[in-house]
Amino acid sequence: MPTEILMPALSPTMEEGTLAKWVKNVGDEVAPGDVIAEIETDKATMEVEAVDEGRIGKILVEAGTEGVKVNAPIAILLAEGESESDIGKSGGSAGGEPKVATKTDDEPVAHSGDQARSAATVTPLEERRVPAEGKTHPDPEDPVGDFAQEIPEGTEMVSTTVREALRDAMAEEMRRDQAVFVMGEEVAEYQGAYKITQGLLDEFGARRVVDTPITEHGFAGLGVGAAFGGLRPIVEFMTFNFAMQAIDQIINSAAKTLYMAGGQMGCPIVFRGPNGAAARVAAQHSQDYAAWYSHIPGLKVVQPYSAADAKGLLKSAIRDPNPVIFLENEILYGQSFDVPKLDDWTVPIGKARVHRKGSDVTIVSFGIGMTYAVKAAEELAGQGIDAEVIDLRTIRPMDMQTVLRSVKKTNRCVTVEEGFPQSSVGAHIASEIMVHAFDYLDAPVLKVAGKDVPMPYAANLEKLALPSVKDVIDAVKAVCYRD
Amino acid sequence: MAGRQSSASGGSAKSKRSKTVDTESGKEIVRTLEEFSAPKPADFSNDDELRAYRDMLLIRRFEEKAGQLYGMGFIGGFCHLYIGQEAVVVGMQMAMKDGDQVITGYRDHGHMLATGMEARGVMAELTGRRSGYSKGKGGSMHMFSKEKKFYGGHGIVGAQVPIGTGLAFANRYNDQDSVAITYFGDGAANQGQVYESFNMASLWKLPVIYVIENNRYAMGTSVARASAETDFSHRGLSFKIPGIQIDGMDVRAVKAAGDMAAEHCRSGEGPIILEMMTYRYRGHSMSDPAKYRTRDEVQKMRSESDPIEQVKKRLLENHGMSEDEVKEIDKEVREIVADSADFAQNDPEPDPSELWTDIYADEIPQVAE
């Protein structure tokens, strides 16, 4: 059966082109790969190669013809034993029906959640309009909230620094699972640049506690490969500022592989290290990356404040089947908190914690931001404002349920973080509250964030660039309409 | 077509510390590079030749068909064809053992077929359909098969090199004697992360074979225009990684080099670089008109060095096969490819719900009400 040779496309967007030249003529034998013609568009010229073997039986479009539609037959190819007289007999086209990429029958449907809801019920504008004057908000669904204790009643508590808690978490997980190892700069013999890996080399040896050269891009990628190969790497960045060198491996290789592989294989890995401003180390060493990483589907992003959460969350992160960004803070490393003395203390990723119950305003923070939030809440209590403080603990997936439950009770919200204000974690929270609890709000959500400047070195300027307890108090008073 | 294949025959993986004298300064230069020479092309049995012919032809025909489907609008985006380079991946595959891993960049269809991945699954991924290896969510540059130890399919030039090194790290960590074969091109060879990987691989003696597929052009830029050192087998010099140049158009030469390199890795000697002198007949991607080289250059390579024709000639002349017997193989390969194309055009697109799957490996709480 003679085969039709079709006009090819140079690109997915090409619709027509010029058949510039025939390289083969009627009667010529062609083999797969032989150039048979040249086509061109305004952008490029391309050779058309034969896919099947045979003899050119007929040329349907003469050289020099412009505006030849993609997939239009341009010649007829005769197979062995066929002749010109066969042309016209039910010609199959080369490689199937000349159709463009098909669509499935399903119209694109709105997926679950927000879009479906917004598309579904449309009430007339008049009914939806709520008068600003004398407006009342709906009753809170759950004013008390679920304060279920994570720590069992009667558990012994041990005062522990965040530094020790992180080390204990790694050690426990390395004892539990042989596939867990830690790598990074100075993690082994030096015992950790910030002493987080202290003692691990002694207990686990150089095979599992691996000093790397200063080569962030390289060892981040190597860690991804080790995870593909079945290991459970903990990759320590001396600080997350240096992870910028490795950002491609974190985003493109670690975060996206599960999706790109159709679920076949993913990347269980923990990238951890100190994040955010330390003290007097200026712009290149003082950045909070919470908002950056929280932008990426496929990553989980954790930023603990207390030692108990640091330990419980790091253990969960190491066991998690996904890439987890674990953001620590140098200033918090030396601070002590009560940590439950339990054989296997874990904290679920994706769950916020109500740090302080209150009724007048919700302060949402995470990581070192909590230090401002907690102090502000104490001072505010003395001034008659009862603040509820929520520690997000995980930035992605974010526990908005806990935030919304609180805001529906207090009707006011202030977010606190050290990162830059634009596209910040607070900006995301404010937007979610606006969408999901608009009618409950008595004031705009206010963000307290780092100032919109690179971190300066001078002590006084550095202090100005960071958020302060006063900033939080001022913001809370503003949303409470108090002087 | 080996550029400067070593003249030494027999090949050895023994390290030699060579001393030369700089003629101008008269100073003695001690080269720390362990000098290796390319082994003689492997002796192929009839079965070896048949396997090489069939596997290379499958890649060639598959890629031609992919090119055609692209032209018809069935395949979108980028589509980088492997035509001309078949001997590299097929020869290396013949040197591999079960358990060895493969990772490469975006010109990956040939590597997938060589590792034994199904033509249907690869083609259906190219057309973005639900039975593709990545359920239609990865496309030409992003496919994986844990079963066949194929770890992608990476779209960022050079990113596969540290990842392949990490696979080798896992092999060492688990005391397995598997080797991670890490392919990249002459273009990727100028990425910084390649050298970060070289350093760690050599420092820790990781079992990784770096196969540099030198097809002479990084998209449209020739090696000479992009590389200060154009001999990529010497790119490991500062890291004490030996390297050899191989005629990448001769599948027997590739197989012999692959054997030698694998033995080097398995014996705990660490990484090795194989620079495969090869050539791609087609443009960098489907939308590349390839104006940066002459038609004569391409034609000469095709007519004089074609890897498949070389094997075909030996099958006919040295192994007593008839034209008809060879045509039987052609027909069988053509049927596999035609079947994969047919399948890939008729397989349904992914269900819209697939948009929201495989983002996380576990259930994560959805955004609140």
Side-chain angles (χ1 to χ4, degrees):
Chain A
M1 192 168 65
T3 307
E4 288 176 345
I5 298 171
L6 306 179
M7 180 73 170
L10 293 178
S11 71
T13 51
M14 173 177 159
E15 288 173 357
E16 59 179 44
T18 300
L19 205 162
K21 181 180 163 190
W22 281 102
V23 178
K24 297 284 182 185
N25 292 308
V26 173
D28 286 352
E29 295 287 341
V30 296
D34 284 356
V35 176
I36 53 176
E38 288 177 11
I39 57 171
E40 61 187 33
T41 64
D42 52 345
K43 279 178 277 186
T45 306
M46 199 91 158
E47 291 169 342
V48 182
E49 293 182 359
V51 175
D52 296 300
E53 106 190 301
R55 187 161 49 87
I56 305 280
K58 190 177 182 185
I59 282 175
L60 304 173
V61 176
E62 291 306 319
T65 309
E66 294 176 5
V68 183
K69 298 280 183 222
V70 166
N71 285 338
I74 54 174
I76 304 282
L77 190 70
L78 300 173
E80 217 172 317
E82 291 174 347
S83 69
E84 281 74 359
S85 60
D86 293 313
I87 296 171
K89 291 182 188 170
S90 63
S93 63
E97 291 299 301
K99 57 189 172 187
V100 287
T102 51
K103 295 255 185 285
T104 53
D105 297 331
D106 313 306
E107 281 299 307
V109 292
H111 41 75
S112 61
D114 311 353
Q115 296 193 11
R117 191 169 51 247
S118 60
T121 51
V122 182
T123 34
L125 187 64
E126 281 309 311
E127 289 174 35
R128 283 183 287 137
R129 191 167 284 158
V130 178
E133 201 69 25
K135 160 182 165 314
T136 56
H137 24 73
D139 290 332
E141 290 149 5
D142 179 11
V144 181
D146 176 14
F147 290 110
Q149 279 290 331
E150 285 178 341
I151 303 167
E153 202 82 28
T155 304
E156 185 189 341
M157 302 299 281
V158 181
S159 179
T160 313
T161 62
V162 171
R163 173 178 286 116
E164 292 161 344
L166 292 167
R167 192 263 325 275
D168 292 349
M170 284 190 284
E172 286 177 21
E173 292 307 298
M174 288 174 81
R175 281 174 212 133
R176 200 183 62 87
D177 182 355
Q178 286 290 317
V180 178
F181 73 100
V182 59
M183 70 188 304
E185 294 154 10
E186 311 290 8
V187 298
E189 296 194 5
Y190 194 89
Q191 306 291 326
Y194 293 98
K195 299 288 178 277
I196 307 302
T197 52
Q198 187 139 35
L200 295 184
L201 177 65
D202 288 347
E203 182 176 353
F204 300 102
R207 188 176 71 109
R208 300 181 67 193
V209 185
V210 184
D211 274 329
T212 65
I214 300 173
T215 183
E216 280 85 7
H217 198 181
F219 70 69
L222 192 147
V224 170
F228 285 180
L231 302 185
R232 291 284 183 144
I234 305 168
V235 174
E236 174 175 311
F237 290 115
M238 193 182 287
T239 87
F240 260 94
N241 301 287
F242 311 151
M244 297 281 273
Q245 299 250 27
I247 199 79
D248 174 64
Q249 290 291 356
I250 298 172
I251 309 295
N252 273 317
S253 302
K256 296 178 183 172
T257 292
L258 183 74
Y259 196 81
M260 295 194 302
Q264 210 188 131
M265 55 174 260
C267 187
I269 192 169
V270 176
F271 294 106
R272 51 152 291 272
N275 163 73
R280 309 293 309 282
V281 290
Q284 291 179 338
H285 285 68
S286 308
Q287 190 169 335
D288 176 4
Y289 289 94
W292 280 57
Y293 290 110
S294 78
H295 187 63
I296 306 299
L299 290 181
K300 292 186 180 180
V301 184
V302 176
Q303 193 163 353
Y305 158 60
S306 74
D309 286 342
K311 181 177 182 186
L313 281 164
L314 183 53
K315 281 164 68 76
S316 295
I318 293 166
R319 293 179 199 182
D320 200 277
N322 302 286
V324 180
I325 305 293
F326 197 90
L327 303 169
E328 301 159 10
N329 187 282
E330 190 192 331
I331 289 164
L332 291 176
Y333 280 154
Q335 296 194 15
S336 294
F337 297 81
D338 280 347
V339 175
K341 191 176 179 183
L342 292 167
D343 288 342
D344 192 19
W345 164 247
T346 61
V347 170
I349 291 176
K351 191 126 188 43
R353 180 174 57 85
V354 178
H355 184 83
R356 182 190 195 280
K357 278 202 246 181
S359 56
D360 295 335
V361 60
T362 303
I363 304 176
V364 184
S365 189
F366 52 92
I368 191 152
M370 282 293 291
T371 57
Y372 309 107
V374 169
K375 281 194 195 116
E378 284 163 10
E379 287 191 31
L380 287 161
Q383 299 174 38
I385 296 178
D386 183 21
E388 182 149 299
V389 179
I390 294 175
D391 180 357
L392 279 180
R393 304 195 290 190
T394 301
I395 314 302
R396 181 185 186 99
M398 194 181 285
D399 181 6
M400 277 307 296
Q401 304 235 13
T402 294
V403 175
L404 291 170
R405 182 207 54 76
S406 178
V407 170
K408 285 177 180 178
K409 175 178 70 173
T410 64
N411 313 113
R412 296 168 167 88
C413 184
V414 169
T415 67
V416 184
E417 68 195 299
E418 280 197 351
F420 298 128
Q422 183 165 336
S423 308
S424 61
V425 174
H428 175 69
I429 293 169
S431 142
E432 288 293 297
I433 292 174
M434 187 183 73
V435 172
H436 298 287
F438 188 77
D439 289 344
Y440 293 87
L441 285 177
D442 277 346
V445 177
L446 288 189
K447 299 177 300 178
V448 174
K451 305 301 182 293
D452 208 8
V453 298
M455 183 63 74
Y457 169 69
N460 64 329
L461 296 182
E462 183 185 63
K463 205 170 168 200
L464 287 172
L466 288 166
S468 65
V469 174
K470 183 175 181 302
D471 288 344
V472 180
I473 291 171
D474 289 349
V476 167
K477 285 185 175 170
V479 299
C480 293
Y481 304 110
R482 290 269 299 264
D483 295 327
Chain B
M1 59 138 299
R4 274 174 290 134
Q5 189 177 333
S6 166
S7 57
S9 60
S12 90
K14 297 250 167 62
S15 62
K16 280 180 287 188
R17 191 173 269 257
S18 70
K19 288 180 183 178
T20 49
V21 176
D22 186 306
T23 45
E24 282 183 25
S25 66
K27 274 189 190 159
E28 191 178 70
I29 304 163
V30 178
R31 299 184 65 189
T32 52
L33 172 69
E34 295 171 298
E35 295 203 333
F36 281 56
S37 54
K40 266 195 310 196
D43 286 327
F44 267 22
S45 68
N46 194 40
D47 283 352
D48 292 335
E49 297 280 25
L50 277 173
R51 177 183 168 190
Y53 181 72
R54 189 195 164 282
D55 288 359
M56 290 197 288
L57 196 68
L58 176 63
I59 296 172
R60 174 80 49 101
R61 294 288 171 265
F62 182 93
E63 293 291 64
E64 286 164 355
K65 184 62 83 178
Q68 189 191 17
L69 293 184
Y70 190 92
M72 294 165 73
F74 279 101
I75 298 172
F78 295 125
C79 187
H80 309 88
L81 302 182
Y82 198 61
I83 296 174
Q85 301 179 213
E86 297 92 343
V88 177
V89 76
V90 169
M92 285 304 298
Q93 196 69 26
M94 291 175 83
M96 286 172 59
K97 283 208 319 196
D98 273 356
D100 291 347
Q101 303 114 324
V102 173
I103 188 166
T104 187
Y106 47 76
R107 196 178 304 285
D108 55 356
H109 313 159
H111 302 70
M112 293 188 275
L113 294 173
T115 58
M117 288 167 69
E118 297 289 333
R120 276 185 167 198
V122 179
M123 198 69 96
E125 189 60 38
L126 294 182
T127 55
R129 305 305 171 93
R130 63 176 60 174
S131 303
Y133 268 97
S134 299
K135 301 185 195 163
K137 300 201 281 196
S140 167
M141 301 182 287
H142 315 108
M143 273 182 255
F144 307 81
S145 170
K146 234 179 164 174
E147 185 202 341
K148 301 291 181 190
K149 301 270 174 198
F150 179 75
Y151 290 89
H154 293 269
I156 305 297
V157 179
Q160 74 272 28
V161 182
I163 299 175
T165 310
L167 290 168
F169 180 93
N171 294 341
R172 259 283 300 280
Y173 187 95
N174 291 326
D175 295 321
Q176 290 163 339
D177 78 339
S178 302
V179 173
I181 295 151
T182 302
Y183 293 88
F184 55 103
D186 50 278
N190 290 325
Q191 286 279 24
Q193 58 183 319
V194 169
Y195 299 93
E196 298 191 28
S197 304
F198 281 4
N199 185 43
M200 287 183 285
S202 186
L203 189 66
W204 299 332
K205 294 265 183 283
L206 301 180
V208 52
I209 304 175
Y210 295 112
V211 180
I212 304 180
E213 299 195 61
N214 180 356
N215 66 16
R216 300 196 195 176
Y217 298 92
M219 198 168 151
T221 305
S222 69
V223 164
R225 290 179 56 224
S227 297
E229 169 57 276
T230 57
D231 184 335
F232 293 100
S233 71
H234 287 180
R235 286 290 184 97
L237 192 141
S238 298
F239 308 95
K240 300 188 178 177
I241 302 178
I244 45 180
Q245 265 184 347
I246 319 292
D247 177 358
M249 303 301 269
D250 180 355
V251 68
R252 300 168 310 167
V254 174
K255 160 76 162 64
D259 282 338
M260 184 186 117
E263 193 200 319
H264 175 86
C265 287
R266 285 190 231 283
S267 64
E269 295 288 312
I272 184 166
I273 294 168
L274 301 180
E275 181 188 6
M276 301 292 179
M277 310 305 288
T278 185
Y279 200 80
R280 73 170 144 74
Y281 297 172
R282 294 293 188 93
H284 163 75
S285 68
M286 288 303 294
S287 52
D288 169 20
K291 292 284 186 202
Y292 42 82
R293 59 185 185 187
T294 65
R295 186 168 297 164
D296 284 351
E297 179 183 303
V298 182
Q299 207 43 52
K300 190 165 151 49
M301 195 59 65
R302 281 183 146 172
S303 57
E304 293 175 10
S305 305
D306 188 76
I308 299 175
E309 286 303 316
Q310 288 185 42
V311 181
K312 186 176 177 183
K313 190 156 173 277
R314 289 198 298 272
L315 280 171
L316 295 174
E317 292 176 5
N318 307 346
H319 294 277
M321 280 188 79
S322 68
E323 283 277 3
D324 280 351
E325 285 170 313
V326 173
K327 276 205 169 155
E328 244 344 272
I329 303 172
D330 296 5
K331 189 163 163 269
E332 178 210 333
V333 164
R334 210 175 279 275
E335 276 165 11
I336 294 170
V337 171
D339 168 73
S340 74
D342 188 53
F343 178 78
Q345 290 169 78
N346 293 303
D347 191 43
E349 287 184 312
D351 189 89
S353 66
E354 284 292 343
L355 180 66
W356 296 97
T357 63
D358 306 323
I359 301 161
Y360 292 95
D362 55 352
E363 292 286 322
I364 68 157
Q366 286 300 302
V367 171
E369 268 300 295

